[in-house]
Amino acid sequence: MKYQLAQINVAKLLKPIDHPQIAGFVNQLDFINALAEKSKGFIWRLKDEGSNNATALNPFNDPMLIVNMSVWEGIDALKEYVYNSDHIKVFLKRKEWFEKPTNAHMALWWIAKGEFPTAKEGKRRLEYLQANGSTDYAFTFSKIEAPKL
């Protein structure tokens, strides 16, 4: 395989990340991240310096917006993790911690095997998707584009 799948997803917190209301989410981060890393098809995930997650990164200049980025062998591996692992338990409780998205909050794109995206690139891809809809530059699970590398 000459390509792999990159993804970014963002969520806007209801309260600051250190607020007691958000503790239920924060307390599960290490478990969910470890689950991703053990999942079939997982390759890489974004982390900030000094922690095991990316909650301190702020590419959107909004302290209430948290970012998650990862790289997977392909669509099926990412879908399996998102929808068929214990990740779904956290996903289904997202209303307790995050605002309901008003626009696209996840973007997917193909990258060359062995490459890893930056938070800045993820931001560009998500903003492009929000402005232009699904294309081969940035797409969603509902409009998967074939790799063109």
Side-chain angles (χ1 to χ4, degrees), residues 31-85:
F31 169 76
I32 291 301
N33 288 333
L35 180 64
E37 290 177 348
K38 291 186 284 188
S39 294
K40 183 178 181 190
F42 172 86
I43 297 171
W44 170 91
R45 70 180 174 84
L46 182 67
K47 299 177 192 178
D48 56 52
E49 285 188 36
S51 80
N52 194 35
N53 60 58
T55 58
L57 297 177
N58 190 4
F60 292 87
N61 296 317
D62 181 346
M64 299 298 280
L65 199 66
I66 62 169
V67 176
N68 175 308
M69 289 180 63
S70 55
V71 175
W72 297 80
E73 289 179 356
I75 295 286
D76 293 339
L78 178 57
K79 277 187 173 181
E80 182 68 23
Y81 166 71
V82 171
Y83 299 114
N84 296 318
S85 75

Side-chain angles (χ1 to χ4, degrees), residues 105-145:
H105 62 281
M106 178 185 194
L108 308 170
W109 68 98
W110 297 107
I111 59 177
K113 187 174 183 177
E115 292 184 2
F116 303 103
T118 64
K120 188 175 181 180
E121 179 182 5
K123 178 181 186 254
R124 275 195 315 268
R125 300 283 181 154
L126 183 59
E127 288 175 340
Y128 180 91
L129 178 69
Q130 291 168 340
N132 301 290
S134 284
T135 68
D136 60 347
Y137 185 76
F139 54 93
T140 65
F141 280 137
S142 60
K143 292 210 170 199
I144 298 168
E145 297 287 333

